[in-house]
Amino acid sequence: MIPVIALAVAVIVPLGFLYVVKALDFYQTGSVGFIAISGIWGVIAYFLAARINPALVDHGLVSKDVLVRFVCPVIEEILKARILVYLIRRPKVKYFLDGAIYGFAAAIGFAMFENFEYVLGHQSTALQLALFRVLSTNLIHATGSALIGIALGLARFDRSLLYRGLYLLGGLALAIGIHSGFNNMVNDGVALLFAFAAGFGGAGIIYLAAQRGLKDEKSWVHEKIGVTEGVTSGEAAVVQQLERAGDILTPLAERFGAGKASQCEKFLFMQAQLAIEVKRIEKMQDEKMRLEARRKMDELQVKMNQARKVVGTYCML
């Protein structure tokens, strides 16, 4: 009999973690489409790893023990990171917080299908195994890929190809080290409590990094919103208080309706995103990437003006 509850745990809990990480993107700079692409690539990476890893043992290149302890982390982290190397040069990626989210998504896609393999292969202990994996192994996968995403996100602001390469190698080395350390710990029969602690410790690292990224973005908004083209001084004053958006928009919702308040909120977040774009262009050293970012900013400016018209003059006043 198929362990339905175990399979549900293997899917719902990892997706729940991804939802929490996406919620950290306060200014909504991340792309839902890129999250989906990253997750799909994670699934592809899993199937590639599922072919490569056993083949190494079958051809006598490594023992199964060495494969699990040292080789799997290298192969899997490289495969998961491939999509990040592609996405990180796209204009929609604003800062390292976006890189962390896309890396997390790729890891969740990988981890869920790896969960299926273990759950369906050990049906007598399926639920216990599913719980163990989602609270430890899956979080280790997510930590590694998110760290690579963070490293690549930071590399966007460096013009030197050498330093960009060092960012990538540094993030990859850290991800592999954490992954390999966890595999060695589990292979040596560590207590479940320590495995869970490792998983949540990794998640904590990502949370703290995300909070730092969010703090930087908030400072960018406060610094640039007042000088951003197309934003009035009154609008800038409200954007600087977006943390209180619910309180600010409640009277408006009572007067004009919840739909109009929602349109206003969307408009205000667009303005915050525009201020982030201004600062991002200022920090970029690569001229090609700056041109791409300016095109993105122009597109956002058009959308913002359209949103202002939708809100309406009376409501804006």
Side-chain angles (χ1 to χ4, degrees):
M1 181 178 177
I2 298 176
V4 177
I5 296 177
L7 289 174
V9 169
V11 173
I12 294 172
V13 176
L15 289 178
F17 286 140
L18 178 58
Y19 177 82
V20 171
V21 170
K22 177 62 178 76
L24 296 174
D25 181 19
F26 177 75
Y27 290 110
Q28 304 168 20
T29 59
S31 163
V32 174
F34 278 11
I35 291 175
I37 290 171
S38 299
I40 292 169
W41 173 256
V43 176
I44 295 171
Y46 162 74
F47 283 107
L48 291 173
R51 287 181 173 273
I52 295 171
N53 291 337
L56 295 176
V57 176
D58 294 342
H59 287 83
L61 298 176
V62 294
S63 67
K64 188 173 181 179
D65 185 63
V66 170
L67 177 77
V68 172
R69 290 177 183 269
F70 303 109
V71 180
C72 280
V74 175
I75 293 172
E76 292 172 4
E77 295 302 336
I78 290 175
L79 287 173
K80 288 184 293 176
R82 182 64 188 86
I83 190 64
L84 301 178
V85 175
Y86 168 75
L87 291 180
I88 210 66
R89 290 192 63 83
R90 309 280 74 79
K92 287 186 178 180
V93 179
K94 306 294 188 298
Y95 196 36
F96 73 74
L97 180 55
D98 292 348
I101 293 170
Y102 301 146
F104 203 97
I108 291 303
F110 186 103
M112 283 196 305
F113 275 77
E114 191 176 54
N115 289 345
F116 296 159
E117 176 190 348
Y118 279 86
V119 167
L120 295 175
H122 303 81
Q123 296 193 24
S124 61
T125 58
L127 183 56
Q128 299 95 308
L129 190 58
L131 288 169
F132 168 76
R133 290 190 58 78
V134 298
L135 297 177
S136 60
T137 310
N138 289 187
L139 291 175
I140 293 296
H141 272 300
T143 300
S145 296
L147 287 172
I148 296 172
I150 288 171
L152 289 172
L154 291 170
R156 285 174 63 88
F157 298 121
D158 204 300
R159 187 172 185 175
S160 168
L161 289 176
L162 173 61
Y163 284 115
R164 288 184 195 171
L166 290 175
Y167 271 114
L168 172 59
L169 291 176
L172 189 60
L174 190 57
I176 291 170
I178 291 173
H179 193 158
S180 181
F182 177 81
N183 283 9
N184 276 274
M185 184 172 65
V186 172
N187 256 34
D188 290 336
V190 69
L192 286 179
L193 183 61
F194 289 104
F196 291 156
F200 280 97
I205 291 172
I206 302 307
Y207 176 80
L208 292 174
Q211 288 296 312
R212 174 54 192 269
L214 178 58
K215 182 179 179 181
D216 288 347
E217 288 182 340
K218 285 181 179 179
S219 71
W220 294 358
V221 171
H222 282 260
E223 177 187 347
K224 294 299 181 182
I225 191 63
V227 295
T228 298
E229 183 180 351
V231 180
T232 69
S233 59
E235 292 164 356
V238 178
V239 172
Q240 289 179 331
Q241 303 178 65
L242 273 181
E243 297 88 345
R244 297 179 51 243
D247 295 335
I248 293 170
L249 295 174
T250 295
L252 189 144
E254 293 172 353
R255 183 176 180 85
F256 295 97
K260 189 64 70 174
S262 177
Q263 291 171 356
C264 286
E265 184 177 30
K266 181 179 179 181
F267 169 74
L268 292 169
F269 272 96
M270 281 185 183
Q271 294 191 322
Q273 292 164 14
L274 200 59
I276 291 172
E277 286 287 352
V278 172
K279 182 64 177 182
R280 192 167 69 99
I281 291 172
E282 182 182 287
K283 289 173 67 68
M284 280 182 176
Q285 301 299 315
D286 187 300
E287 188 57 34
K288 183 178 179 181
M289 294 180 72
R290 290 176 73 175
L291 288 173
E292 290 177 349
R294 285 194 185 98
R295 283 195 290 270
K296 176 63 180 174
M297 190 170 72
D298 291 340
E299 292 174 7
L300 188 57
Q301 188 80 256
V302 171
K303 290 180 179 178
M304 186 185 76
N305 290 332
Q306 291 172 343
R308 181 185 273 113
K309 291 178 182 178
V310 170
V311 171
T313 303
Y314 186 43
C315 185
M316 286 299 300
L317 290 173

